[in-house]
Amino acid sequence: MPPEDPHETGPPDRPDAPLDERYPGLNVLTADPENAETSARSHLEGYLTPREEHYIRTHHRTPDIDADDWTVSLTGMVEDGIELSMDEIRHDYPTDSVVHMMECSGNGRAYFDPDAEGDQWTVGAVGSAIWTGTPVRDLLNDHGAATDEGLWLSVMGGEAKEGEDVFCRSIPMEKALDDCLLAYEMNGDPMTPEHGYPLRLIVPGWFGNNSVKWVDRMHVMETMVAGEEWQSRNGHDYTEYQQSSYRIVPAQDDDPERHESVETFSTYEQLRNPEEIRNAYLFDQLVKSLITSPTEEAALSSDERVEITGVAWAGDDAVERVELSTDGGETWDEASFVGPDLGRHAVRKFRYVWDATPGQHTLLSRATDEEGREQPVTVSTPDEGLRGISDGKYPWNEKGYGNNAYVPLGVSVAVEE
Ligand SMILES: Nc1nc2c(c(=O)[nH]1)N[C@H]1C(S)=C(S)[C@@H](COP(=O)(O)O)O[C@H]1N2
Ligand SMILES: [Mo]
């Protein structure tokens, strides 16, 4: 039997079926835990990625949660520590929404040479959704939480209740207050278990690893989770996903001293300054773009003008410009933005009309953000050593994070006479 059309059947209602049968629009990298990327560039061409085509990235078994019994606690530097039900979170606070193009920091790892450790995501570990929920700001303010600049909000995922490690991320207080949401709805529908049902953190514009799923605890603190106290708290290591994973470990970096926690959260600041690179954290996303049409399979002819379309995103910043090359990067021309701007965390759609000539052509797109930061050309090699983003190269790093180089994302097309 062919797979059912996910758009017609709505949320997958066969939780026992294998991941690839429930999500025919995804390529499964690992079935357990569930890791799958969107299978076609065309899935990313809209303002929103259909929920059934949005990538899934999970470290442990997806927990089976009954929302009626689920609670979220707020502790640490707060006047009244609390535990809230889902009903209270939904109804006792304001509601807000954000369009967020969320990218896994491992997206593009497949283009590291030699291979970097981890699942080999290509282009599809990214997706855009409109997330709806309760602003974190309102919860903090209503319960007398300390919210001074420099503090951190540590948010923990509930899969630990099933005996797994604690997925914990510390978010700078400034960001938590500014625009973070505790979301319970995705693209106007209830969330599926894979995406964090019943409640997940959404950190708009930041790499997916910050948007903790199945949230059950939040803790206001003076530092991010680090050090012995948090390495062995209640028999769990809370620091794993903050201090060990999701940091840039440059090639040839074997000095443990460099792995200290660093009190800055600008990924770019550290990646742009090779002298200063100190194991940057994967927080704010980097500028990136993707051609969604035509794809390699397209039948193109030189009689017609070819429309090249795609999407660009730049984390917390706006996309300033997208340029297009139809000759593998020899010459560039500016593409135009089309359609609405749905906020600085959303995608910008671009379009370029090309008078195609017969032959084989490599199409490339290159985006620049409002700070003037342009996508690098390629990825460096490990023997180029400790470096940030410089000379058009993204730093090869042990764990293969953050690759926003544009050459690997190119599309090769054949144009007929
Ligand atoms: N509790 C918990 N939250 C998590 C994860 C996880 O394994 N456990 N994975 C993170 C990572 S690395 C990413 S990229 C996003 C993926 O969200 P999605 O599966 O909804 O696309 O969730 C993040 N939140
Ligand atoms: Mo991720």
Side-chain angles (χ1 to χ4, degrees):
M1 210 177 73
E4 294 159 46
D5 179 349
H7 299 288
E8 275 172 24
T9 56
D13 56 0
R14 295 171 298 141
D16 295 333
L19 192 62
D20 56 347
E21 283 179 25
R22 279 182 287 139
Y23 290 95
L26 300 181
N27 277 339
V28 175
L29 279 76
T30 65
D32 183 17
E34 297 180 314
N35 286 297
E37 66 177 330
T38 202
S39 61
R41 289 176 183 237
S42 60
H43 296 161
L44 299 171
E45 75 191 357
Y47 290 99
L48 301 178
T49 311
R51 189 183 49 173
E52 279 66 38
E53 290 165 3
H54 189 290
Y55 81 96
I56 297 167
R57 198 281 175 260
T58 300
H59 286 269
H60 306 290
R61 186 154 299 177
T62 301
D64 183 13
I65 295 172
D66 180 351
D68 292 338
D69 299 336
W70 196 251
T71 59
V72 180
S73 64
L74 174 64
T75 54
M77 301 166 72
V78 288
E79 267 163 30
D80 47 336
I82 42 156
E83 187 143 343
L84 297 168
S85 67
M86 279 304 299
D87 203 51
E88 289 168 309
I89 288 181
R90 280 173 174 273
H91 299 117
D92 296 355
Y93 301 91
T95 303
D96 205 354
S97 297
V98 65
V99 180
H100 167 39
M101 181 66 158
M102 180 165 75
E103 180 169 23
C104 177
S105 44
N107 198 29
R109 180 181 288 135
Y111 308 117
F112 279 65
D113 183 15
D115 287 353
E117 287 164 32
D119 293 324
Q120 298 296 305
W121 307 97
T122 62
V123 302
V126 61
S128 166
I130 180 160
W131 299 95
T132 297
T134 300
V136 169
R137 178 197 319 120
D138 291 294
L139 278 181
L140 295 174
N141 288 338
D142 274 23
H143 299 283
T147 53
D148 310 81
E149 211 179 307
L151 296 181
W152 296 81
L153 181 68
S154 296
V155 180
M156 300 154 203
E159 64 261 61
K161 282 192 173 138
E162 301 190 357
E164 304 282 9
D165 289 349
V166 182
F167 189 94
C168 174
R169 291 291 303 179
S170 298
I171 309 295
M173 187 55 74
E174 269 173 275
K175 179 68 178 172
L177 288 177
D178 185 26
D179 55 11
C180 291
L181 294 180
L182 283 169
Y184 41 76
E185 211 179 271
M186 179 181 187
N187 294 345
D189 287 319
M191 238 181 303
T192 53
E194 295 84 358
H195 292 297
Y197 174 88
L199 193 70
R200 79 176 300 170
L201 182 68
I202 287 293
V203 185
W206 287 22
F207 283 108
N209 51 278
N210 297 287
S211 288
V212 178
K213 303 194 273 193
W214 315 294
V215 170
D216 73 342
R217 284 173 292 161
M218 297 189 292
H219 196 78
V220 179
M221 30 197 297
E222 263 172 26
T223 61
M224 59 170 88
V225 285
E228 265 167 53
E229 187 201 341
W230 288 94
Q231 272 161 5
S232 54
R233 196 181 169 92
N234 315 320
H236 287 286
D237 180 2
Y238 284 69
T239 68
E240 161 74 29
Y241 296 103
Q242 186 79 15
Q243 304 297 352
S244 304
S245 304
Y246 303 117
R247 304 207 38 198
I248 301 284
V249 182
Q252 291 136 348
D253 180 7
D254 48 12
D255 176 1
E257 285 297 293
R258 302 184 70 89
H259 293 254
E260 84 236 60
S261 91
V262 180
E263 301 298 309
T264 171
F265 59 84
S266 170
T267 306
Y268 247 127
E269 223 169 84
Q270 293 180 37
L271 281 174
R272 294 266 293 180
N273 187 345
E275 301 306 311
E276 270 294 301
I277 183 164
R278 286 157 74 208
N279 302 113
Y281 292 91
L282 275 298
F283 286 135
D284 189 4
Q285 288 171 186
L286 306 178
V287 63
K288 198 159 166 180
S289 62
L290 192 72
I291 293 171
T292 52
S293 177
T295 52
E296 318 245 312
E297 305 80 44
L300 305 177
S301 113
S302 57
D303 307 338
E304 49 195 321
R305 306 181 87 195
V306 176
E307 185 178 49
I308 303 172
T309 55
V311 289
W313 62 96
D316 264 347
D317 300 293
V319 179
E320 179 78 24
R321 178 170 69 242
V322 177
E323 294 158 289
L324 236 294
S325 173
T326 55
D327 55 13
E330 300 267 305
T331 60
W332 293 88
D333 208 358
E334 198 152 336
S336 29
F337 289 127
V338 289
D341 179 350
L342 297 176
R344 66 196 159 110
H345 308 114
V347 290
R348 285 314 300 275
K349 292 178 66 155
F350 62 83
R351 172 177 187 268
Y352 180 78
V353 178
W354 175 40
D355 286 315
T357 50
Q360 194 73 28
H361 303 268
T362 298
L363 313 181
L364 298 173
S365 67
R366 171 172 85 186
T368 303
D369 72 14
E370 61 184 330
E371 299 289 320
R373 300 175 291 208
E374 187 176 285
Q375 287 181 255
V377 189
T378 54
V379 181
S380 72
T381 57
D383 56 16
E384 285 171 82
L386 195 62
R387 64 197 323 284
I389 299 173
S390 59
D391 307 327
K393 285 187 191 169
Y394 186 82
W396 189 97
N397 60 89
E398 294 284 348
K399 295 186 172 177
Y401 293 133
N403 182 7
N404 69 333
Y406 64 76
V407 163
L409 305 178
V411 178
S412 171
V413 293
V415 178
E416 304 278 298
E417 214 33 86

